[in-house]
Amino acid sequence: MDTITLGEVTLTRVWEYFGPVGMTPEVFFPESPQEAWREHRSWLAPHFLDERTGIVNSAIQTWVLRSEGKVILVDTGVGNHKDRPYAPVWNRLNTTYLDNLARAGVRPEDVDIVINTHLHIDHVGWNTYLDGRTWVPTFPHATYLMPKADFDYWNPANEQRTRLGRGNQNVFEDSVAPVHAAGQTLLWEGGHRIDGNLQLDPAPGHTPGSSVLTLESGSDRALFVGDLLHNPFQIHEPDANSCFCEDPAEARATRRALLGRAADENALIIPAHLGGHGAAEVVRDGGKFAIKGWAPFAPYGERV
């Protein structure tokens, strides 16, 4: 199953990539206790960890929401033909992403809203495509919702010294600026109500503009948390940051707050990069959290 219904909103999972991302847990999550990885290894493999190589597995995917007559995309992956000299896993990809989107019943011209939860390399790539020698918006009728804090932070004209360094090189120029120049961006601050079911709010730490999308429809709740979680290991070890978090202390606090909210409100927590079933319900477990149950999406790991 690639589509579920939450209240009056349908949610479809569209993949771009699933597999190893070239990092061991020690590299990807340098602050994490290695004994905890050993403790959870049995269920992390194979969807979230390659037990043979010890490399972390990750999914690059878009969540397609249909809400109040609108087609809404949450994050747009890496993109094709993008020059990523300092991120070799994502350099000059040539995937079937648009075909996968079409199989989900979505043509580029059908999209009304694109949400970039933050402006990292693997969340904005399909914002644009290469038309001849020019990067142009992939979704010609869409409004692209971008957090202003990230737009300013990653704009090379502002010369920020970032934790990611050159890892985000070229991203603003080929995947953000062309959309802004086309007049299709809405740079939001403080919060943004999309419709009666969907609300965007700041969730800083991973990046200054990282955001959470809250879905509330009928009795159903879901939190799209972007990269506050890269791996379900972080549900059990919420203080474990990825190596890409710009403000580690703030990222830990935000992660704990969102996991607590998900547990207290019985909300499905939907990170950007989980393989396997893609999303989970969580419960409090002392000072940490645990997985209560998985979403009913078909695991990527069973397709590869």
Side-chain angles (χ1 to χ4, degrees):
M1 181 184 295
D2 289 315
T3 297
I4 63 174
T5 300
L6 299 172
E8 297 181 351
V9 181
T10 62
L11 172 60
T12 302
R13 188 186 196 190
V14 175
W15 71 280
E16 182 183 21
Y17 172 88
F18 171 76
V21 290
M23 289 181 284
T24 63
E26 293 87 347
V27 174
F28 206 153
F29 305 95
E31 303 166 339
S32 62
Q34 293 309 302
E35 62 273 15
W37 283 96
R38 290 190 289 271
E39 176 187 348
H40 298 296
R41 197 178 188 94
S42 62
W43 65 267
L44 287 171
H47 301 312
F48 313 109
L49 182 69
D50 186 318
E51 199 165 23
R52 181 179 59 84
T53 64
I55 298 296
V56 174
N57 285 330
S58 189
I60 306 297
Q61 57 204 348
T62 292
W63 299 101
V64 179
L65 285 72
R66 292 174 172 89
S67 176
E68 296 189 359
K70 302 288 188 183
V71 176
I72 301 164
L73 308 186
V74 181
D75 289 326
T76 63
V78 175
N80 279 357
H81 315 304
K82 302 282 169 106
D83 188 13
R84 303 292 184 246
Y86 298 100
V89 174
W90 310 136
N91 190 47
R92 295 187 176 275
L93 294 187
N94 187 22
T95 72
T96 60
Y97 174 83
L98 289 182
D99 293 333
N100 298 341
L101 201 61
R103 280 192 285 273
V106 179
R107 302 170 301 170
E109 57 267 30
D110 297 331
V111 177
D112 298 292
I113 296 171
V114 173
I115 298 168
N116 297 135
T117 58
H118 61 292
L119 302 187
H120 268 169
I121 184 172
D122 50 347
H123 292 258
V124 300
W126 277 104
N127 282 1
T128 61
Y129 74 98
L130 194 59
D131 183 11
R133 300 181 66 173
T134 304
W135 296 106
V136 299
T138 304
F139 309 104
H141 306 310
T143 297
Y144 289 68
L145 302 179
M146 300 181 183
K148 186 176 186 300
D150 258 24
F151 185 90
D152 292 340
Y153 188 74
W154 296 108
N155 187 340
N158 294 329
E159 298 182 343
Q160 294 281 0
R161 294 180 63 85
T162 70
R163 186 180 182 93
L164 191 56
R166 292 180 173 179
N168 228 38
Q169 183 164 310
N170 300 333
V171 171
F172 192 92
E173 294 91 334
D174 63 33
S175 299
V176 176
V179 180
H180 192 60
Q184 290 183 233
T185 58
L186 191 161
L187 305 180
W188 62 274
E189 298 180 90
H192 179 75
R193 169 61 65 175
I194 295 172
D195 63 20
N197 301 312
L198 301 169
Q199 168 75 27
L200 270 170
D201 289 295
H206 181 63
T207 67
S210 286
S211 58
V212 56
L213 174 68
T214 299
L215 185 159
E216 296 184 351
S217 184
S219 60
D220 290 329
R221 303 286 183 271
L223 302 177
F224 297 81
V225 299
D227 280 3
L228 262 297
L229 287 168
H230 277 91
N231 190 287
F233 172 85
Q234 293 170 284
I235 295 172
H236 293 267
E237 298 291 337
D239 291 332
N241 284 326
S242 78
C243 59
F244 303 118
C245 291
E246 292 291 316
D247 187 326
E250 191 170 42
R252 283 190 288 269
T254 301
R255 186 179 307 109
R256 281 189 166 274
L258 288 174
L259 286 169
R261 184 178 161 199
D264 296 343
E265 298 179 6
N266 195 33
L268 191 65
I269 197 155
I270 306 177
H273 297 304
L274 293 199
H277 293 281
E281 294 181 339
V282 301
V283 293
R284 292 184 182 272
D285 183 18
K288 297 181 181 181
F289 300 89
I291 296 167
K292 181 170 73 172
W294 294 104
F297 293 105
Y300 286 147
E302 294 177 4
R303 308 174 190 182
V304 175

